[in-house]
């Protein structure tokens, strides 16, 4: 009788432990997907902001918007939204990439005076999101440097 009771108790414990394994497998799969999309987001934002393509970027006006659109199109993006504050681009593949480039000057300080100074390097903020299906899977931020040309040039 004691052996039978011990077997029943061990069976209950064993069944309880076995129900954890499928949940752990599902959690590991989600974690792996999240890590993959984080790496994809980092790689994609590095391609967006990398290189010499932004060296000729002018002040944030229609010329800069045209240059940004050309460079993003060359990377396989399509312009989806124009707004006075940002441009939104989208790229389809195994995942959907959505990239917002904010057109307002970003600086390290809280004052806007640095944005008004010419011949200084300024920054456009880039917000890249990676979607798996319709669900946001990962996102990252970076900056595109640009130089404001003085009016005397």
């Amino acid at each position: 009788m004691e052996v039978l009771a011990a077997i029943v108790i061990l069976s209950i414990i064993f069944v309880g432990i076995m129900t954890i394994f499928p949940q752990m497998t599902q959690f590991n799969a989600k974690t792996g997907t999240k890590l993959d999309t984080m790496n994809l987001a980092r790689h994609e934002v590095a391609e967006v902001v990398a290189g010499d393509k932004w060296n000729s970027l002018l002040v944030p006006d229609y010329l800069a918007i045209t240059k940004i659109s050309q460079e993003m199109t060359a990377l396989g993006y399509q312009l989806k939204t124009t707004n006075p504050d940002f441009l939104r681009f989208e790229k389809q593949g195994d995942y959907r990439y959505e990239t917002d480039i904010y057109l307002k000057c970003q600086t390290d300080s809280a004052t806007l005076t640095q944005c008004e100074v010419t011949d200084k390097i300024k920054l456009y903020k880039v917000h890249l999101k990676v979607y798996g299906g319709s669900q946001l899977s990962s996102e990252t931020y970076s900056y595109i440097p640009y130089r404001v040309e003085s009016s005397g040039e």
Side-chain angles (χ1 to χ4, degrees), residues 12-99:
I12 293 170
I13 292 172
F14 182 71
V15 168
I17 291 173
M18 292 306 293
T19 60
I20 293 173
F21 286 109
Q23 292 174 354
M24 288 175 47
T25 303
Q26 184 180 14
F27 177 76
N28 287 340
K30 285 183 180 178
T31 302
T33 301
K34 182 71 172 173
L35 287 172
D36 288 345
T37 57
M38 286 172 56
N39 288 331
L40 285 171
R42 284 190 206 124
H43 175 73
E44 190 68 23
V45 82
E47 285 197 15
V48 168
V49 301
D52 296 333
K53 62 181 165 256
W54 304 114
N55 286 348
S56 63
L57 204 53
L58 301 173
V59 295
D61 59 8
Y62 72 95
L63 294 174
I65 291 170
T66 302
K67 174 71 174 168
I68 290 169
S69 296
Q70 289 171 348
E71 294 298 339
M72 293 300 286
T73 301
L75 290 171
Y77 283 86
Q78 294 179 341
L79 181 63
K80 288 295 178 184
T81 305
T82 56
N83 184 307
D85 295 331
F86 68 92
L87 299 173
R88 176 166 289 158
F89 296 90
E90 190 175 282
K91 179 178 175 181
Q92 297 286 343
D94 292 341
Y95 293 93
R96 180 171 60 95
Y97 299 94
E98 189 177 273
T99 305

